[in-house]
Amino acid sequence: MRDADITVRVSATADPAAVRTARMGLLLRSLRDRGPRSRGRLAEETGLTRTVATGLIEELVELGLVTCEDADRRGAGRPGVQVRLVGSSVCGIGAEINVDHLAVVAVDLAGTVIAEFRRGIDGRRLPPEGVLAELAGLVEDALAEARTAGATVAGITVGVAGLVDTATQRVTLAPNLGWRDIDAAEEVRLRLAATAAPVPPVRVANEATLAATAELDPADADRADMVVLYGEVGLGGAIVSGGRVAPGRHGWAGEIGHFPIDPRGRRCGCGRAGCWETVVGLRALLEAATDPDDPVRDPVLTLEERLATLVERARLADGRTLAALDEVGTWLGTGAAVLVNTLNPGTVVLSGYYAVLGEWLRPAVEARLAADVLAPRAGGTRVAISAFGPTAAVRGGALVSLEPVLSDPTALADLHGGTR
């Protein structure tokens, strides 16, 4: 989100307290995204007067979110005062529930990972209660590490591969898990409440939407309008327009894995035939690249272990592996071309498992875009490989968990009472 956008919106807000907290959040975002700044430069970049910015910075210092230090300056004149973010003072926790793994990460305000856990599971066989109990255990471990590090935990956001109703915060449908109408956030909250420490706020969201949040980059104009393809057992997607993730009316936008691409294709976990994810999900790649008794299909393995094996085979030029990657990349590009023709994004981001295997998948994707997109030069759309890969969703969850502090830094005082 651009600073100017925030400045315009908060200046039109009638409540003076809301204006003040929004402006404080604006200063925090600028420090997070651009690094230490002088008070004068912060004021200029955020559209605030020097006097207003100085007063707000003093409040942020009192909250323990920033420090003011004399900067080294050579030559005559007084040294400038640099405002620095105290990133380690607060963190957010992101969690992910997928068919074959659980993941949890704690990320502080500066973007540093302070705790990370991942565990392989067989989500189709475990009941929802069993999966959520396993997840709560990993979240509890992350909470303990964050508190040991002295960080206030702003919140916990759980990403699920399925439809999440943003109004009720319930998992409406997770076809690959076989879940319907599950209150995942409340289940996790209740399990964490059984421990001695108070529980931070818990919410649930679609995992691909969270992955797209991690991929946002204010410095990259092409990412202001992008499509994120998040490859896991299936395929999740998210649409970013004007620098914001587009959730849709009920938060269900981006279920691109279930648009029909091969009407005579295999049965999907949603019950339909020929959905896009049936030919580009990790399950499809493993079936094309390996035999049923291949060790890489062992559900005990983590996603990273499976992908590491496939990467090794691809680098050794294993014919079956390379053919499978080319097939999946071609199908991925075929569907991506439909999205590019429809949305004309600046970037298509290959995230999730696609990022790990990106060097083999991207050429086929780009070839299909060049062939199937009507506009010249594939509509100007570039194909990028995520820097976060399979961790994009949990990282995005952690970033979403930090949003309350960035929106209203004074809320940190309330969190200090029970979540350190």
Side-chain angles (χ1 to χ4, degrees), residues 10 21 86-87 96 140 184 191 217 229 231 291 307 314 346 348 393:
V10 300
T21 56
V86 183
E96 180 187 16
E140 189 176 343
R191 283 168 171 78
D217 183 357
L229 304 179
D291 293 323
L307 293 176
V348 170

Side-chain angles (χ1 to χ4, degrees), residues 147-361:
R147 288 162 175 158
T148 298
T152 297
V153 181
I156 300 162
T157 303
V158 180
V160 182
L163 296 176
V164 176
D165 190 319
T166 53
T168 65
Q169 284 286 286
R170 299 180 74 89
V171 179
T172 304
L173 174 65
N176 289 326
L177 284 165
W179 290 12
R180 289 182 180 273
D181 196 29
I182 302 293
D183 194 345
E186 183 63 13
E187 291 285 344
V188 171
R189 188 182 299 112
L190 289 173
R191 283 168 171 78
L192 293 176
T195 64
V199 181
V202 182
R203 68 186 302 273
V204 65
N206 174 267
E207 62 164 6
T209 299
L210 297 178
T213 300
E215 302 295 344
L216 292 172
D217 183 357
D220 188 344
D222 283 341
R223 293 206 177 199
D225 298 283
M226 66 177 171
V227 172
V228 177
L229 304 179
Y230 189 70
E232 288 286 353
V233 169
L235 165 64
I239 300 163
V240 174
S241 178
R244 301 182 187 181
V245 180
R249 178 69 178 273
H250 298 289
W252 297 342
E255 283 297 326
I256 57 178
H258 295 286
F259 72 65
I261 198 167
D262 183 10
R264 289 181 285 186
R266 75 177 70 184
R267 185 71 56 182
C268 179
C270 71
R272 300 171 179 85
C275 292
W276 191 15
E277 72 171 42
T278 63
V279 290
V280 298
L282 182 61
R283 185 184 307 172
L285 174 62
L286 291 176
E287 289 178 359
T290 67
D291 293 323
D293 60 349
D294 193 302
V296 79
R297 294 207 203 181
D298 187 342
V300 174
L301 294 179
T302 64
L303 179 62
E304 288 80 2
E305 290 169 333
R306 293 183 182 190
L307 293 176
T309 300
L310 292 174
V311 167
E312 181 181 9
R313 294 176 184 178
R315 287 179 176 161
L316 291 173
D318 175 71
R320 183 171 177 180
T321 302
L322 293 177
L325 287 167
D326 184 68
E327 179 182 355
V328 168
T330 298
W331 277 116
L332 194 59
T334 299
V338 176
L339 295 171
V340 171
N341 276 322
T342 305
L343 302 170
N344 186 216
T347 307
V348 170
V349 179
L350 304 183
S351 187
Y353 96 77
Y354 300 140
V356 179
L357 300 169
E359 67 178 278
W360 295 280
L361 294 172

Side-chain angles (χ1 to χ4, degrees), residues 97-102 120-125 131 161 174-178 207 232-234 283:
I97 300 171
N98 216 297
V99 176
D100 60 358
H101 72 268
L102 303 173
I121 62 166
D122 188 346
R124 297 184 196 88
R125 295 189 178 184
V131 173
N176 289 326
L177 284 165
E207 62 164 6
E232 288 286 353
V233 169
R283 185 184 307 172

Side-chain angles (χ1 to χ4, degrees), residues 8-146:
V8 170
R9 289 195 296 121
V10 300
S11 64
T13 304
D15 183 358
V19 172
R20 188 182 91 260
T21 56
R23 286 173 171 170
M24 290 170 69
L26 179 58
L27 292 169
L28 279 183
R29 291 178 197 274
S30 183
L31 290 169
R32 180 196 63 182
D33 295 340
R34 301 174 181 174
R37 293 287 192 275
S38 68
R39 285 178 294 198
R41 189 169 180 182
L42 269 174
E44 180 182 353
E45 291 176 348
T46 55
L48 303 174
T49 67
R50 178 75 175 264
T51 301
V52 169
T54 298
L56 296 175
I57 289 167
E58 290 175 356
E59 289 189 61
L60 291 171
V61 170
E62 292 177 6
L63 288 168
L65 291 170
V66 305
T67 60
C68 294
E69 304 170 355
D70 288 341
D72 293 332
R73 176 186 288 179
R74 297 180 180 180
R78 297 175 58 188
V81 174
Q82 291 284 300
V83 184
R84 295 178 180 275
L85 183 71
V86 183
S88 60
S89 63
V90 60
C91 77
I93 291 179
E96 180 187 16
I97 300 171
N98 216 297
V99 176
D100 60 358
H101 72 268
L102 303 173
V104 174
V105 67
V107 177
D108 70 19
L109 201 57
T112 302
V113 174
I114 59 177
E116 188 169 11
F117 304 95
R118 186 177 285 265
R119 179 178 300 167
I121 62 166
D122 188 346
R124 297 184 196 88
R125 295 189 178 184
L126 281 174
E129 297 78 12
V131 173
L132 293 168
E134 292 272 357
L135 183 74
L138 295 182
V139 172
E140 189 176 343
D141 291 340
L143 283 168
E145 288 206 18

